[in-house]
Amino acid sequence: MSDLYCVFGNPIAHSRSPAIHAAFAAASGEDLRYEARLAPVDGFAAAVAEFIVDGGKGANVTVPFKEEAYRLCDRLSERAARAGAVNTLVFRNGGIAGDNTDGAGLVRDIAGNLDFALAGRRILLLGAGGAARGVIAPLLAGTPASLHIANRSADKAQQLAAAFSDIAPVGGGSFAELAGRSFDLVINATSASLSGDTLPLPAGLFAPESLAYDMMYGKGETPFLQQARGQGAGRCADGLGMLVEQAAEAFFVWRGVRPQTAGVLADLRRQIAG
Ligand code: ATR
């Protein structure tokens, strides 16, 4: 029998993860099955227990269960502990180990696929929720010149910045306080577009040659990237590459094999555009 993996979420029907992992398995010759499992909002732990009984070797975790997955684990990788959230579970020797590959996926997409080196850059992270928290330590590991967090609720940005200040100085504040500053890399980790809102970003935020990166993705350019382009961002990228790269990192955690991602990303891009 092939080894069994899955992704837990709610909703989960439209998850791209089964197709991505099937493509990784086919390309790398790894013998595995990967399915989508809908967990009830109040039944995540039970769904995981059932999957382990079914012989599951590992799982991905998506919205809204990443924080609950973090609490469920017996052991955490350092990056999961820092993120306060888990997107990758490993079931081994009767225990549950948790990892978080989101930040590594973001950095691989930016530094690798987009060839945008982080070292020496001024980075602005928009948002102070779970998505933002998960990527801070991996961004700092790229030794940027600075990292600043801006959020609608400024106090949350300040608290989040303080939580990482043992690694490097991190700033935090409101959107209004960004006036007069400019950045080389601006990453949207807010969920503002889900409610149809645009962010109150002051003019002059995007330095020439800057990269605007939206952790969201969809058919066509996202609202944040449209706004960034209008405000002078030199380059724009959505989060589809991050999706594929966090999956590749999870595949590596489980299988010890790093899958090629370029073809999978190109196929996915075509499907979404179509
Ligand atoms: P996630 O796990 O996606 O990060 P979250 O923890 O609920 O979800 O965080 C959502 C983030 O998007 C927060 O930074 C939130 O700002 P607040 O902390 O001020 O709530 C931000 N956000 C959501 N809707 C927004 C909007 N309409 N305008 C600006 N920021 C918004």
Side-chain angles (χ1 to χ4, degrees), residues 36-100:
R37 288 211 173 190
L38 179 72
V41 172
D42 60 355
F44 175 69
V48 171
E50 188 181 324
F51 187 63
I52 293 172
V53 169
D54 290 348
K57 293 274 190 288
N60 284 132
V61 181
T62 188
V63 178
F65 299 122
K66 290 184 189 184
E67 278 86 10
E68 194 174 347
Y70 168 87
R71 293 193 294 273
L72 192 68
C73 292
D74 314 307
R75 277 175 299 131
L76 293 168
S77 68
E78 197 184 324
R79 58 193 183 179
R82 273 281 179 192
V86 158
N87 79 334
T88 302
L89 298 169
V90 182
F91 310 122
R92 199 175 287 152
N93 304 329
I96 304 178
D99 200 348
N100 190 314

Side-chain angles (χ1 to χ4, degrees), residues 116 122 181-186 201-213 221 223-237:
F116 188 95
R122 296 162 298 170
R181 299 186 63 175
S182 71
F183 297 87
D184 306 305
L185 171 60
V186 180
L201 303 178
L205 201 61
F206 297 92
E209 312 303 317
S210 62
L211 171 63
Y213 191 100
E221 196 165 46
F224 168 71
L225 294 179
Q226 287 172 21
Q227 181 182 9
R229 191 181 295 284
Q231 291 186 226
R235 296 177 65 190
C236 291

Side-chain angles (χ1 to χ4, degrees), residues 67 127-132 151-153 156 175 189-192 195 197-200:
E67 278 86 10
N151 194 48
R152 180 173 61 181
S153 322
K156 274 176 67 184
F175 290 120
T190 76
S191 53
S195 45
D197 294 332
T198 47
L199 300 171

